[in-house]
Structures are given as C-alpha cells and as structure tokens.
Amino acid sequence: MTPILSTHGLTAFYGDFQALYGVDFEIAPGETVALIGANGAGKSTLLRAVMGLIRVDPEMIRLDGNPVGSQPPHQMVAGGVAIVPEGRRLFVGMTVEENLRVAIDTARGRAGSWSLDRVFDLFPILREKRREPVQRLSGGQQQMVSIGRALLNQPRLLLCDEITLGLAPRVIREIYEIVPEISNSGTAIILVEQDVSLAKQASDRLYCMLEGRITLSGRSSDISRDAIAEAYFGGGDAVA
Ligand code: ATP
C-alpha cells in the first residue's frame, strides 16, 4: 500500500543549523504513528517540514506517493493534511464556535465526515461553552478546540504536536480517549508525544528521534522500554 505520507532522506535547516539528518519516515492510510524523543530532537521540525513551513527538496516529502516538499501549507491542507500545533494558536477574542467555524470556512466544502455537531459530540463540553470566548476556557478545553478545528479541515492525515503538554493527567486521558475515535473514521494520525507510555499505548508504530535522526522504529507493542531508553538518550541505532 502506498503510504499516505513518507519522507525520504529528509534534511532540514534553520539558517546554518541542521535540524534533520536524512529522516526516513512513513505512515499508512488510517495508521496511528507516535513520534517520540527528547526536547530538541527534531520532532516539531519534521511536522513543520511536512506542513510546508520549512523549505526542503520536493522529493524529500511525498503525499500519496507524489512529491510535495515545500508546498505551501494551504496546499497541504487542501491535500488532506491538518495540524494541531504546539501551543494551540487559537483566535483569542473569538468564541469556541467562531474558532471552529474558521476551519469550516477554510475547508470550503471539502468532502469529509466532520461537522460542528460531530466535534461537539466528541467533546460535549465544547457544545456547552460554544458561545464563550476561548480565552475563558481551561487549557484542556482550549486543546479540544484546537483538535476540533484541525478535524474540521477534514484531514486524511492529522499531525498532533504535543497535544497534552502542560495538561493535568485526567485531561490527558480524556484527550487520548478520542484518538481511536478519530482513527476509526479512517484518519491517519502522527502523535508527537513526550510521554513514552502514552505514545506506546496510543499508536500502532512508533519512531524515536535523537539529534535530528531516527534512532528507533517498529511496532509499538514489540518495542521494549530498554530499546526506547537507548534510542531516546543515545547509545547506538536500533530497529525493532
Ligand atoms: P521540543 O519537544 O522541544 O519541541 P523537538 O523534538 O520538537 O523538541 P524541534 O523543535 O524540532 O525539536 O527542534 C530541533 C532543533 O532545531 C533544536 O536544536 C532546536 O533548537 C532547533 N530549532 C527549532 N526551531 C528553530 C528555529 N526557529 N530557529 C533555529 N533553530 C531552531
């Protein structure tokens, strides 16, 4: 099966600083893949490169087998890729519903199964708070708006960048409970996650990055904690 997304020897730079060194990554349609690694490993850079926010060689990133490296973000969204960015980036001063409606407008009638009602069914608290300005919501509720907004782009591939950062354990569980629901609707998901146990539980496969390189990849259920620890902190390459 052609991967929905793949990277091929992906390198990326911030000025002179090289952040990614030959990253080979792939995700199949409908698959959930976790991307773990310490701060600064290059996880967000990989997502930014995929979204077209960093200039890379076109051939280094493929969507449905077609080269898309450096395509502008709106074209990636039109191609079915959406991101829940680190730090949420909601429109402050607008209500929950207004934030979500922006995404509906951006999707411009693109086919997909996500509607405002379906997002409210996924996160019932947002239905209750639909007329509240987003800044009055808790961090967890804001994260739900951010996820809802990405879903309303009708993605075939959803990129989630540390969606549970700074949230209470109860809220983290609540947010992760919806991952299978999103996945069951056929959407592939890349989860950038600092919590290794959570990443392992929630994913079919995982990749570990260290200093801009993939140091471990395999089926999440097959990978041992020791292999992850080695790949996370260094000490040799491993493929499970
Ligand atoms: P984190 O968990 O901290 O977000 P990460 O694995 O997502 O970590 P990246 O944010 O991708 O890591 O950063 C990879 C490397 O690129 C780091 O060394 C970081 O300092 C550097 N970097 C990230 N953004 C920039 C930027 N805008 N300009 C220069 N260097 C950057």
Side-chain angles (χ1 to χ4, degrees):
M1 190 192 294
T2 308
I4 183 167
L5 181 92
S6 53
T7 71
H8 306 265
L10 176 64
T11 54
F13 294 82
Y14 295 104
D16 290 339
F17 177 77
Q18 186 163 1
L20 297 180
Y21 293 83
V23 169
D24 293 324
F25 172 98
E26 66 175 44
I27 177 166
E31 197 180 24
T32 299
V33 171
L35 190 55
I36 61 171
N39 284 339
K43 308 178 298 293
S44 299
T45 303
L46 176 54
L47 298 194
R48 274 184 228 134
V50 167
M51 281 317 286
L53 297 166
I54 298 176
R55 288 206 75 74
V56 299
D57 187 306
E59 296 287 342
M60 287 179 178
I61 301 175
R62 290 177 169 264
L63 185 66
D64 304 314
N66 303 313
V68 292
S70 294
Q71 264 197 16
H74 70 268
Q75 276 186 31
M76 293 307 291
V77 175
V81 187
I83 187 164
V84 184
E86 199 175 348
R88 300 167 205 143
R89 312 223 186 99
L90 299 176
F91 297 109
V92 172
M94 286 167 66
T95 65
V96 167
E97 183 166 337
E98 284 165 348
N99 265 275
L100 294 172
R101 285 202 181 276
V102 170
I104 295 175
D105 292 346
T106 316
R108 286 194 199 101
R110 205 171 31 255
S113 62
W114 291 98
S115 63
L116 203 52
D117 263 337
R118 195 161 163 223
V119 168
F120 287 154
D121 289 344
L122 198 60
F123 300 119
I125 188 72
L126 297 187
R127 183 177 273 122
E128 269 173 51
K129 305 218 169 212
R130 64 199 287 173
R131 303 202 200 291
E132 298 246 1
V134 282
Q135 65 271 25
R136 287 217 209 121
L137 269 54
S138 69
Q141 292 161 359
Q142 290 183 6
Q143 191 59 274
M144 292 170 192
V145 177
S146 183
I147 295 168
R149 193 174 57 175
L151 291 174
L152 288 166
N153 281 320
Q154 313 296 352
R156 295 182 298 129
L157 171 63
L158 183 67
L159 315 180
C160 298
D161 197 354
E162 302 201 20
I163 52 175
T164 55
L165 203 65
L167 301 181
R170 181 182 53 79
V171 184
I172 293 177
R173 272 198 305 278
E174 212 177 310
I175 288 188
Y176 263 84
E177 272 167 18
I178 58 112
V179 169
E181 280 192 56
I182 298 171
S183 170
N184 288 342
S185 67
T187 306
I189 307 172
I190 300 178
L191 290 171
V192 168
E193 180 54 63
Q194 289 266 352
D195 183 325
V196 172
S197 309
L198 208 54
K200 229 169 153 301
Q201 273 169 36
S203 60
D204 302 312
R205 283 189 306 118
L206 70 74
Y207 288 84
C208 182
M209 292 185 74
L210 175 70
E211 295 173 356
R213 293 176 174 86
I214 303 280
T215 47
L216 175 71
S217 66
R219 293 206 64 76
S220 305
S221 51
D222 297 345
I223 297 181
S224 70
R225 296 206 130 257
D226 285 352
I228 291 179
E230 192 167 306
Y232 203 97
F233 298 110
D237 284 10
V239 175

